[in-house]
Amino acid sequence: ATAAVPAVLVGLLLIYVFGFRLGWLPLGGSSSPASYILPVVTLAVPFGLVLARLLRTSLLEQQDQPYITFSAALGERPWSVRWRHLLPNALLPLLSILALDFAGLFSSVAVVEVVFSMPGLGADLLTGLRRLDTALIVGIGIIAGLLVALVNLIADVAVIAIDPRVRRSS
C-alpha cells in the first residue's frame, strides 16, 4: 500500500507537519544540511517500507531452509547463523528489486525537487520539457539510462559475489 502513495503527497504531508505545524525543518531549498532531511525522507518512505517488507518475507523464507538448521546443529552461535548465512541469502532478491526500483526513483526525484524547490537533474528535466529543449531532455535521458544500467550491473556483480551457486552456474 505504501508503494501506491505518490512522493508528492508524502512530501506535502511532511512539509505541512514538520515545516508549517512544528517549524522544525526548512520548507525547501538547499541552503543547509537540514533542508535535505525532508526530501530524503520523502523518497525513502515509499521505497524503504516496500523494501523492508520484502526483506522480512525473504528472511522468513530463508529461515526454514536446511542450511540454517544445519549451521545451528553444528553449534554455531545464533548471531553467527543470522549474519553469516541467513542475511546474505535473504538480501539476494532484495538487491535485484532495489536495482529495478532505482529506475523508478528518478521520476520521484524529479517531483521531489520541484516540491522542495531544489536544484537538480529532475527539476532541469521538467524545465526542459516545458521549454521543449530536446538537447537537455535527451542528455538527461542518456545520463539516467547509464546510471540505471550501472546500478543494475553493480547489483548483478554483488549477487555473484554473495551467492556461490550463481558463480558456479555462470
Side-chain angles (χ1 to χ4, degrees):
T2 57
V5 178
V8 67
L9 182 62
V10 173
L12 292 174
L13 183 65
L14 289 173
I15 287 173
Y16 176 73
V17 171
F18 294 104
F20 283 127
R21 298 296 274 173
L22 298 174
W24 290 352
L25 297 167
L27 301 176
S30 59
S31 58
S32 69
S35 63
Y36 289 98
I37 294 173
L38 288 179
V40 168
V41 171
T42 299
L43 290 171
V45 165
F47 289 101
L49 293 176
V50 170
L51 292 175
R53 189 171 186 182
L54 286 171
L55 179 61
R56 180 185 179 277
T57 303
S58 184
L59 283 168
L60 289 174
E61 284 177 9
Q62 293 296 320
Q63 189 174 11
D64 296 331
Q65 295 298 318
Y67 71 91
I68 298 295
T69 308
F70 184 72
S71 296
L74 287 176
E76 221 174 311
R77 292 189 173 134
W79 63 267
S80 178
V81 171
R82 286 186 199 109
W83 283 99
R84 293 184 62 224
H85 303 293
L86 182 62
L87 189 61
N89 287 300
L91 286 175
L92 291 174
L94 198 68
L95 281 173
S96 301
I97 297 294
L98 187 60
L100 292 173
D101 277 352
F102 186 75
L105 191 64
F106 274 106
S107 61
S108 296
V109 166
V111 170
V112 167
E113 286 175 359
V114 171
V115 168
F116 289 99
S117 302
M118 300 183 79
L121 285 178
D124 289 345
L125 177 63
L126 292 176
T127 301
L129 288 169
R130 272 184 292 218
R131 294 183 182 164
L132 299 176
D133 187 352
T134 309
L136 180 64
I137 295 167
V138 170
I140 292 174
I142 290 172
I143 290 170
L146 288 173
L147 279 173
V148 168
L150 180 66
V151 166
N152 279 289
L153 176 68
I154 290 169
D156 289 343
V157 169
V159 167
I160 290 170
I162 292 172
D163 192 359
R165 296 171 297 180
V166 176
R167 265 183 270 162
R168 280 188 237 121
S169 67
S170 56

